């Protein structure tokens, strides 16, 4: 399939997990992608000519602007922005330090805000396009020991809906995705801090009604749909990919 042929795209948090899966899916469907990453090691291997890896801290306005500028300079415009970068902590409200609170808010909320702030003018000037933000089912239902993460992803959802209404008449279509528990390195980071990591993984897996973690590729498939013309009337939506967690 090449539904996304030629689309000039930026994906943040693309070193691994959901972000890397989205970048790969877009490349498979013919898009051109700037992969923003914050890890020490860039994502790869990447097809030459259609993929560029660029290190970026999504909480830094200049580095986010540089990501968008890289796409517009390389390919003379921007069609799609995927604000995927995020972090989380496993803690209740009293257990969450102020340092962790601001770190999660800065990466998830400020990072999404900055991505939209710089991408919207570029997409508008390119004739219109799509922004996809990464929320979570934590924005929709209560999850144990995810207080600040839930607050941050709730903010991403609200920000996405507000921006969708602000910019649809300019040809910028904005939506978000709410994944359930996805099999990514994030699970390892969260469970490794707990007394029994394997038991924590088992409980996280068991709460999925379909009996397994969501695969990053399944979230990437939703992102590809939202970026395509098939989703032309999907505006300000929160697309749930959670194996049934929010249906309970």
């Amino acid at each position: 399939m090449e539904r996304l042929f030629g689309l000039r795209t930026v994906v943040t948090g693309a070193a691994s997990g959901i972000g890397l899966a989205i970048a790969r899916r877009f490349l498979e469907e013919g898009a051109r992608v700037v992969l923003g990453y914050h890890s020490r090691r860039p994502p790869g291997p990447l097809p030459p000519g259609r993929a560029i890896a660029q290190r970026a801290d999504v909480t830094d306005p200049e580095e986010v602007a540089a990501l968008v500028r890289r796409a517009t300079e390389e390919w003379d415009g921007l069609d799609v922005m995927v604000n995927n970068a995020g972090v989380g902590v496993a803690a209740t409200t009293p257990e969450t330090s102020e340092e962790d609170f601001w770190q999660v808010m800065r990466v998830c909320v400020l990072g999404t805000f900055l991505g939209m702030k710089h991408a919207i003018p570029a997409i508008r000037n390119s004739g219109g396009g799509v922004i996809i933000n990464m929320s979570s089912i934590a924005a929709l239902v209560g999850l144990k020991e995810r207080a600040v993460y839930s607050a941050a992803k709730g903010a991403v959802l609200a920000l996405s809906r507000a921006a969708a209404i602000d910019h649809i008449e300019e040809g910028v279509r904005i939506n978000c995705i709410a994944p359930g528990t996805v099999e990514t390195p994030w699970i390892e980071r969260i469970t490794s801090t707990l007394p029994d990591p394997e038991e924590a993984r088992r409980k996280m897996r068991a709460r999925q009604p379909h009996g397994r973690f969501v695969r990053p590729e399944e979230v990437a498939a939703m992102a590809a749909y939202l970026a395509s013309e098939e989703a032309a009337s999907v505006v300000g939506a929160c697309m749930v990919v959670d194996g049934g967690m929010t249906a309970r």
Side-chain angles (χ1 to χ4, degrees), residues 69-232:
R69 189 166 56 249
R70 185 71 182 273
T72 59
E73 290 177 351
E74 288 283 340
W75 301 315
D76 196 30
L78 181 68
D79 301 301
V80 182
M81 180 77 182
V82 183
N83 293 303
N84 166 75
V87 296
V89 295
T92 65
T93 300
E95 294 168 346
T96 302
S97 68
E98 291 183 19
E99 181 181 3
D100 282 344
F101 175 89
W102 287 117
Q103 173 68 2
V104 173
M105 286 292 179
R106 283 176 60 79
V107 175
C108 294
V109 185
L110 178 61
T112 299
F113 166 79
L114 290 174
M116 289 199 293
K117 181 178 180 66
H118 292 285
I120 287 169
I123 292 172
R124 183 177 58 219
N125 293 340
S126 300
V130 175
I131 292 177
I132 302 166
N133 297 326
M134 200 58 61
S135 184
S136 166
I137 62 161
L140 305 174
V141 297
L143 298 180
K144 288 177 68 64
E145 299 180 337
R146 297 292 186 274
V148 66
Y149 182 74
S150 297
K153 292 301 187 177
V156 170
L157 171 56
L159 185 60
S160 300
R161 285 177 167 164
I165 298 304
D166 284 339
H167 300 288
I168 187 59
E169 292 182 1
E170 301 170 3
V172 183
R173 186 164 53 81
I174 302 172
N175 295 286
C176 68
I177 301 175
T181 308
V182 184
E183 182 71 86
T184 69
W186 181 84
I187 291 179
E188 180 64 27
R189 287 195 295 270
I190 289 291
T191 57
S192 65
T193 65
L194 301 175
D196 188 341
E198 189 51 42
E199 175 65 9
R201 281 181 61 88
R202 188 194 65 77
K203 288 181 178 179
M204 291 174 75
R205 189 183 302 110
R207 72 187 183 187
Q208 306 274 142
H210 69 341
R212 61 173 175 81
F213 292 123
V214 176
R215 295 191 298 272
E217 292 76 16
E218 293 170 319
V219 183
M222 178 61 75
Y225 164 70
L226 289 174
S228 75
E229 284 299 315
E230 293 174 306

